[in-house]
Amino acid sequence: MFRYYIDLALRSLGRNKVLTALMVLAIALGIGASMTTLTVLHVLSGDPLPGRSGTLYYPQIDPRDSQGYLPGKTPPMDQVTWTDGMNLLRAKRADRQALMTGGDVAVQPGESTLDPFYEDARFTTAGFFPMFGVPFAYGHAWGGAEDEAHARVAVISSTLNDKLFGGKDSTGQTLRLSGTDFRIVGVIGDWNPNPHFYDLDRASYNEDEGVYVPLSTSQDVGMNHDGNVECWGNGGNGINPIHDSPCTWLQFWVQLDSPAKATAYRQFLVNYSEQQKALGRFQRPPNVQLRNVMQWLDYNQVVPDDVRLQNGLAFGFLLVCLVNTVGLMLAKFLRRAGELGVRRALGASKRALFAQLLVEAGVVGMVGGVGGLLLAFAGLWLVRQQPASYAALAHLDPAMLLATFLLALGASLLAGLLPAWRACQIAPALQLKSQ
């Protein structure tokens, strides 16, 4: 019966090509606009580390003086000082932990014909790689012993490895960074989490760090820090703050494998704040937060407001298109009152006619979905031409591809409900007499 309804729908749509084209165009325009903005929103608000983000937490404490403090209203600092970062790191109260900051290094290729250039870098401790599940194409990460020994070792990205070594295994090679020789111990594979959750001060999306060196080593050789620095009191505002200054400039992440461990770690942060206050370093009462990755992204409102606004406007446009489609379908179905009256007189039930008309609406929706998909591809191409940091990420993935057709089908069936119901209310006797 379903195949028979499909056949009837195709014949009906072919009889009035203008109305059919207008309905398909209305649905295609609405689906194309809404799926373009929805895809961008989906990409920007996605989970950067699926399967891991629920166990990764960003601890926040408040080491500032009492000036401007409002109990219960003032949020803790977004980063930590060197002293607090090292204290929390050495406490080892989490399953894994890593202290880090961003910077840039001057890369001086050895035998390559390339000129020296600057590369974005991450200065971090060894826990960064296993905690975030960083894959390696060659070699491995450095360990805690290299952190303690301030070893001259480096991990590079596959992009930088392609640029300097033609994609070959470069582990064991020497790379000169900011005037100091480093031994390459690993090459990262395909890994570029978006949003760039672990350091939102540098960039939220599409950050491409090519060099990773131990945090301790980066301080020894004086590598340039690049990121937000917030100081209070007499801390100053230097780009490379000294270690005992009252300035926050480092990110600290921990891995806690169970809710019970997260609760215990939060209490540890409270106890640590009370201890530091007793020592005279902190002046405020304990003011701590412990958010996982998605909570941290929500707190920082990573998704731009204009993207949310565009998404709302696009779905409003889809609603307008559906209202127009309802009118067109109503006109089309009522024109066929004579045909439907004959079917009713021959014994077809209202339910059967209703199903037939909904199948016809579904066929219009699927054709409109194909058109909407083509328009969405064009819309995403236009998004990628914009100078926004997230522009390059605007691609339709399989999930959004399926969502396009489901949305088109659902929207067309919704638009067909009223016209189909209205057409089924026609009395067959009156229609037959009027013929």
Side-chain angles (χ1 to χ4, degrees):
M1 186 60 75
F2 182 72
R3 183 177 297 178
Y4 174 62
Y5 288 161
I6 292 284
D7 184 55
L8 287 179
L10 293 176
R11 291 183 187 181
S12 172
L13 295 175
R15 279 200 294 270
N16 196 328
K17 294 183 175 61
V18 175
L19 268 181
T20 302
L22 288 175
M23 288 188 292
V24 169
L25 181 62
I27 292 179
L29 288 174
I31 294 297
S34 57
M35 289 311 299
T36 298
T37 57
L38 186 62
T39 299
V40 173
L41 182 63
H42 168 71
V43 170
L44 300 190
S45 59
D47 187 343
L49 290 181
R52 286 183 176 270
S53 58
T55 61
L56 301 177
Y57 292 85
Y58 191 75
Q60 291 175 268
I61 56 178
D62 199 344
R64 289 171 290 187
D65 55 34
S66 57
Q67 184 177 4
Y69 175 65
L70 296 175
K73 295 183 178 178
T74 305
M77 302 292 283
D78 286 347
Q79 301 182 104
V80 297
T81 64
W82 176 271
T83 301
D84 292 320
M86 295 307 293
N87 287 342
L88 296 175
L89 182 72
R90 288 166 179 161
K92 297 184 178 179
R93 300 296 291 268
D95 294 295
R96 289 191 176 105
Q97 46 264 307
L99 183 64
M100 68 194 77
T101 192
D104 55 63
V105 294
V107 180
Q108 297 161 279
E111 300 177 357
S112 172
T113 57
L114 292 172
D115 293 330
F117 58 91
Y118 279 95
E119 184 74 23
D120 288 341
R122 178 125 306 257
F123 313 138
T124 182
T125 53
F128 177 93
F129 302 98
M131 185 167 65
F132 294 155
V134 181
F136 277 82
Y138 303 111
H140 50 76
W142 66 81
E146 283 86 355
D147 276 339
E148 293 296 327
H150 298 214
R152 302 311 198 241
V153 293
V155 168
I156 63 174
S157 68
S158 56
T159 303
L160 184 60
N161 189 57
D162 292 343
K163 185 175 182 178
L164 295 177
F165 303 101
K168 298 178 182 177
D169 184 359
S170 59
T171 55
Q173 300 276 349
T174 297
L175 181 61
R176 194 164 183 79
L177 302 172
S178 298
T180 303
D181 287 340
F182 283 77
R183 178 171 56 87
I184 299 173
V185 296
V187 177
I188 291 177
D190 183 17
W191 191 73
N192 186 23
N194 279 296
H196 188 245
F197 68 95
Y198 54 82
D199 187 356
L200 296 172
D201 286 325
R202 295 192 67 187
S204 297
Y205 296 99
N206 219 22
E207 177 73 2
D208 186 17
E209 293 163 334
V211 176
Y212 301 76
V213 299
L215 178 63
S216 55
T217 310
S218 73
Q219 302 303 292
D220 281 357
V221 301
M223 290 179 166
N224 290 329
H225 165 258
D226 182 16
N228 185 42
V229 178
E230 189 170 352
C231 302
W232 61 95
N234 297 321
N237 282 299
I239 297 176
N240 292 307
I242 56 177
H243 290 174
D244 58 355
S245 65
C247 298
T248 58
W249 54 287
L250 297 130
Q251 302 86 47
F252 183 64
W253 283 90
V254 297
Q255 178 180 332
L256 303 165
D257 292 335
S258 69
K261 289 183 178 179
T263 302
Y265 198 87
R266 183 184 176 85
Q267 184 58 47
F268 163 68
L269 294 176
V270 172
N271 296 340
Y272 174 79
S273 298
E274 290 175 340
Q275 179 193 53
Q276 295 301 309
K277 186 178 181 186
L279 293 172
R281 283 195 61 238
F282 290 9
Q283 295 184 19
R284 302 182 180 188
N287 182 20
V288 306
Q289 285 289 346
L290 187 64
R291 296 182 170 94
N292 63 28
V293 172
M294 298 309 292
Q295 291 168 338
W296 178 241
L297 294 177
D298 288 342
Y299 171 71
N300 283 278
Q301 299 180 332
V302 171
V303 179
D305 289 339
D306 61 331
V307 172
R308 296 186 187 277
L309 177 62
Q310 290 166 10
N311 193 55
L313 292 175
F315 272 89
F317 179 65
L318 174 60
L319 183 61
V320 172
C321 291
L322 287 183
V323 170
N324 282 281
T325 304
V326 169
L328 293 169
M329 280 191 183
L330 191 60
K332 183 175 178 58
F333 290 168
L334 291 181
R335 276 190 179 186
R336 295 163 55 198
E339 172 197 334
L340 297 175
V342 170
R343 286 209 63 205
R344 288 277 287 128
L346 293 176
S349 64
K350 286 185 178 180
R351 177 179 296 180
L353 289 182
F354 189 73
Q356 175 194 334
L357 296 176
L358 278 189
V359 168
E360 188 170 328
V363 171
V364 171
M366 293 308 293
V367 177
V370 173
L373 184 63
L374 296 176
L375 290 176
F377 278 125
L380 292 172
W381 180 83
L382 290 175
V383 171
R384 290 195 293 274
Q385 310 312 308
Q386 296 180 5
S389 61
Y390 58 80
L393 304 173
H395 290 278
L396 206 64
D397 60 20
M400 297 308 294
L401 189 67
L402 178 62
T404 300
F405 285 104
L406 291 179
L407 181 62
L409 182 60
S412 61
L413 290 178
L414 186 64
L417 283 177
L418 176 62
W421 177 83
R422 185 75 179 79
C424 291
Q425 304 310 309
I426 297 172
L430 292 177
Q431 286 301 322
L432 292 176
K433 285 180 182 178
S434 65
Q435 297 298 312

